[in-house]
Amino acid sequence: MSAQTLTDTVVADLVADATAAPSMHNAQPWLFRYTRGDRTLALRADFERAMPAADPTTRALHVGCGAALLNLRVSAAHHGLAAATTLLPAPSDPAFLAAVRLDAGPDAPRDRADEALRALHPAIADRHTSRYPFDEQPIPDEVRARLVSAARTEGADLAFLVPPHLETVLDLIRDAEGYDRGDPAREAEQEHWTRYTKTDAPVDGIPDYAFGPRDASERATNRDFTGTGAPAGRARVLFERRPQLALLSTADDRPADWLRAGQALERVLLTATLDSVSTSFATQPVEWPDLRWVLRDPVHGTGNPQMIIRMGYGPTGPRTPRRRLDRVLTIEP
């Protein structure tokens, strides 16, 4: 690809891939601004889509935007573009999360890292959150090793939970789900991002067709988006007896670390997708400060928990809606 082919259409393709990333309640809290003159894409936080009850520090917002940034980098590699990324380039502007300068042509700097990113591109369209039961088949050690390596490449740690720590985390997830139900502000916030397709034409949020069934064991490994107003007749099924959970953490806990965690998260999810591993999230205890620190492994854990990922073999989950590009992308001279 030559510099002349870095057109507005290509930029739109990059942003379309970026916005396929997951975010808390599918709020899609990102905005992109492309400047043709210096071939730079700015990733900005859309704080109007923040969740002050469940995410008062905007940690989860940054993680979602970091996931979108990783997709952008993957898409750039797919299009033959070198992407020089700077996190938080303007400390006085907290909404300016990253600047990505796109270089093309034979002299653009590239290395094997670009090829590794390029290989992940097919997974962007195939990655969907699955809130359905997985089977009991264990994820092979070699696949787990690839997922751990994917997180480390982006500066984060990924640890698969084993007993008794696994049982402790499962209890914390259940407790946090109960805390959420007892917090009217969080309950209202979740309801705000819940979409019922008989009455809505969703472009964001969690549509009812993506809720998945309720866990008959009441272990609440997945967030229950029906809240306290669960509709009558919703399916109740047994999920896996011992979920395969992995904890993503970072050494520090500042906005730049949250963005790194988001990039690590998405790199793990795309790698898992290529290995036919389905994924979902169990983030409820990460959102309660008094529970978040208990998530760490009592023997080896020293990092800051950023995400709990449920993995396994089963349905891939449906595609959820995305905002139109003209709502998230601005192109300037």
Side-chain angles (χ1 to χ4, degrees):
M1 176 173 288
S2 67
Q4 288 71 31
T5 61
L6 183 50
T7 63
D8 291 355
T9 299
V10 172
V11 171
D13 287 345
L14 301 181
V15 173
D17 281 340
T19 61
S23 57
M24 186 174 180
H25 299 357
N26 194 29
Q28 304 169 47
W30 42 62
L31 296 168
F32 296 86
R33 182 179 301 159
Y34 179 63
T35 305
R36 297 189 188 103
D38 58 10
R39 299 197 302 277
T40 298
L41 258 170
L43 167 61
R44 299 186 62 83
D46 186 348
F47 287 124
E48 292 185 0
R49 292 174 170 267
M51 300 181 195
D55 186 32
T57 65
T58 70
R59 182 197 62 82
L61 181 149
H62 282 73
V63 170
C65 288
L69 178 59
L70 189 281
N71 274 3
L72 178 61
R73 291 167 51 209
V74 169
S75 189
H78 170 73
H79 284 85
L81 301 167
T85 303
T86 304
L87 299 181
L88 304 175
S92 62
D93 183 359
F96 191 1
L97 302 185
V100 182
R101 179 177 171 83
L102 301 167
D103 289 320
D107 297 327
R110 292 184 184 84
D111 55 28
R112 284 178 291 181
D114 293 316
E115 293 303 316
L117 286 171
R118 188 199 306 267
L120 296 173
H121 187 262
I124 290 179
D126 293 337
R127 184 218 63 81
H128 306 302
T129 301
S130 177
R131 300 181 181 89
Y132 294 88
F134 301 154
D135 63 32
E136 302 292 344
Q137 177 185 350
I139 299 171
D141 289 345
E142 61 270 21
V143 175
R144 292 187 177 212
R146 282 195 288 273
L147 299 175
V148 170
S149 177
R152 287 178 178 166
T153 298
E154 299 298 333
D157 290 322
L158 185 76
F160 282 85
L161 305 185
V162 297
H165 189 209
L166 173 61
E167 282 74 21
T168 298
V169 172
L170 288 171
D171 288 342
L172 292 173
I173 294 169
R174 185 187 63 244
D175 291 346
E177 184 80 5
Y179 290 0
D180 287 348
R181 295 295 158 260
D183 187 318
R186 293 189 184 218
E187 182 87 345
E189 200 169 70
Q190 179 174 294
E191 177 63 24
H192 174 75
W193 292 103
T194 299
R195 306 288 184 250
Y196 291 93
T197 51
K198 288 185 178 179
T199 56
D200 296 336
V203 297
D204 55 15
I206 306 297
D208 49 11
Y209 60 76
F211 289 174
R214 296 193 73 175
D215 188 344
S217 70
E218 299 293 344
R219 284 186 301 177
T221 336
N222 291 318
R223 190 189 300 271
D224 188 352
F225 281 92
T226 61
T228 56
R234 185 178 174 210
R236 295 170 61 90
V237 302
L238 287 172
F239 280 59
E240 55 269 29
R241 289 184 299 104
R242 180 168 288 178
Q244 299 180 83
L245 302 182
L247 183 65
L248 182 80
S249 60
T250 54
D252 294 309
D253 198 33
R254 295 169 292 188
D257 303 295
W258 304 337
L259 290 170
R260 293 186 188 98
Q263 292 177 89
L265 170 66
E266 185 68 351
R267 191 161 192 145
V268 168
L269 297 177
L270 297 182
T271 302
T273 299
L274 292 180
D275 274 309
S276 300
V277 174
S278 296
T279 55
S280 65
F281 311 107
T283 59
Q284 301 94 314
V286 187
E287 296 155 14
W288 289 92
D290 57 332
L291 299 181
R292 185 183 177 202
W293 303 114
V294 187
L295 289 170
R296 292 181 294 180
D297 187 322
V299 177
H300 304 292
T302 58
N304 298 275
Q306 304 292 352
M307 184 67 67
I308 302 170
I309 311 170
R310 169 178 165 258
M311 304 185 191
Y313 296 97
T316 58
R319 183 182 185 277
T320 50
R322 290 298 184 269
R323 300 163 70 192
R324 285 172 23 190
L325 282 182
D326 60 3
R327 299 287 184 175
V328 299
L329 172 61
T330 302
I331 297 180
E332 300 176 343

Short mmCIF file of all heavy atoms in Angstrom, two decimals, residues 5 29 63 87 120 134 161 262 286 292 294 309 329:
data_model
loop_
_atom_site.label_atom_id
_atom_site.label_comp_id
_atom_site.label_asym_id
_atom_site.label_seq_id
_atom_site.Cartn_x
_atom_site.Cartn_y
_atom_site.Cartn_z
N THR A 5 -2.72 5.75 -1.25
CA THR A 5 -3.92 4.93 -1.06
C THR A 5 -4.45 5.00 0.36
O THR A 5 -5.39 4.30 0.70
CB THR A 5 -3.63 3.46 -1.43
OG1 THR A 5 -2.61 2.96 -0.58
CG2 THR A 5 -3.23 3.34 -2.88
N PRO A 29 -17.66 3.79 24.26
CA PRO A 29 -17.33 5.14 24.73
C PRO A 29 -16.13 5.77 24.03
O PRO A 29 -15.20 6.25 24.66
CB PRO A 29 -17.03 4.89 26.20
CG PRO A 29 -16.36 3.54 26.20
CD PRO A 29 -17.09 2.75 25.13
N VAL A 63 -10.46 0.77 29.58
CA VAL A 63 -10.20 -0.59 29.11
C VAL A 63 -10.90 -0.83 27.77
O VAL A 63 -10.32 -1.39 26.83
CB VAL A 63 -10.66 -1.62 30.16
CG1 VAL A 63 -10.62 -3.03 29.58
CG2 VAL A 63 -9.76 -1.55 31.40
N LEU A 87 0.30 6.80 23.83
CA LEU A 87 -0.78 6.84 24.80
C LEU A 87 -0.77 8.16 25.55
O LEU A 87 0.28 8.70 25.88
CB LEU A 87 -0.65 5.69 25.81
CG LEU A 87 -0.71 4.26 25.26
CD1 LEU A 87 -0.60 3.26 26.40
CD2 LEU A 87 -1.98 4.02 24.45
N LEU A 120 -4.10 -11.54 13.30
CA LEU A 120 -5.29 -11.50 14.15
C LEU A 120 -6.52 -10.90 13.45
O LEU A 120 -7.63 -11.03 13.97
CB LEU A 120 -5.00 -10.67 15.41
CG LEU A 120 -3.94 -11.21 16.37
CD1 LEU A 120 -3.66 -10.18 17.46
CD2 LEU A 120 -4.37 -12.53 16.98
N PHE A 134 -20.76 -23.28 28.23
CA PHE A 134 -19.68 -23.94 27.52
C PHE A 134 -19.63 -25.40 28.00
O PHE A 134 -20.17 -25.74 29.06
CB PHE A 134 -18.34 -23.26 27.80
CG PHE A 134 -18.29 -21.81 27.39
CD1 PHE A 134 -17.42 -20.92 28.01
CD2 PHE A 134 -19.10 -21.32 26.38
CE1 PHE A 134 -17.35 -19.59 27.64
CE2 PHE A 134 -19.06 -19.97 26.00
CZ PHE A 134 -18.17 -19.11 26.63
N LEU A 161 -7.24 -19.34 36.66
CA LEU A 161 -7.50 -19.56 38.07
C LEU A 161 -7.63 -21.05 38.37
O LEU A 161 -8.27 -21.79 37.62
CB LEU A 161 -8.78 -18.84 38.49
CG LEU A 161 -8.82 -17.33 38.18
CD1 LEU A 161 -10.08 -16.72 38.76
CD2 LEU A 161 -7.58 -16.62 38.72
N GLY A 262 -6.70 -2.86 28.22
CA GLY A 262 -7.68 -3.03 27.15
C GLY A 262 -7.06 -3.62 25.90
O GLY A 262 -7.66 -4.49 25.24
N VAL A 286 -14.75 -6.77 39.88
CA VAL A 286 -13.72 -5.78 39.56
C VAL A 286 -14.28 -4.37 39.74
O VAL A 286 -13.53 -3.41 39.94
CB VAL A 286 -13.23 -5.99 38.11
CG1 VAL A 286 -12.03 -5.09 37.81
CG2 VAL A 286 -12.84 -7.43 37.87
N ARG A 292 -12.42 -6.03 44.59
CA ARG A 292 -11.40 -6.08 43.53
C ARG A 292 -10.07 -6.59 44.06
O ARG A 292 -9.41 -7.42 43.42
CB ARG A 292 -11.24 -4.70 42.90
CG ARG A 292 -10.30 -4.67 41.71
CD ARG A 292 -10.13 -3.27 41.18
NE ARG A 292 -9.18 -3.21 40.10
CZ ARG A 292 -8.52 -2.12 39.72
NH1 ARG A 292 -8.75 -0.98 40.35
NH2 ARG A 292 -7.66 -2.17 38.74
N VAL A 294 -9.48 -8.46 46.61
CA VAL A 294 -9.54 -9.86 47.05
C VAL A 294 -9.39 -10.81 45.87
O VAL A 294 -9.08 -11.99 46.05
CB VAL A 294 -10.87 -10.12 47.79
CG1 VAL A 294 -10.89 -11.50 48.42
CG2 VAL A 294 -11.10 -9.06 48.87
N ILE A 309 -12.02 -13.06 32.62
CA ILE A 309 -12.48 -13.60 31.34
C ILE A 309 -12.89 -15.04 31.54
O ILE A 309 -12.14 -15.85 32.10
CB ILE A 309 -11.37 -13.52 30.27
CG1 ILE A 309 -10.73 -12.13 30.23
CG2 ILE A 309 -11.93 -13.88 28.90
CD1 ILE A 309 -9.49 -12.06 29.37
N LEU A 329 -16.64 9.00 13.92
CA LEU A 329 -15.45 9.37 13.15
C LEU A 329 -15.61 10.75 12.53
O LEU A 329 -16.61 11.03 11.83
CB LEU A 329 -15.18 8.35 12.06
CG LEU A 329 -14.08 8.68 11.04
CD1 LEU A 329 -12.73 8.86 11.72
CD2 LEU A 329 -14.01 7.63 9.94
#
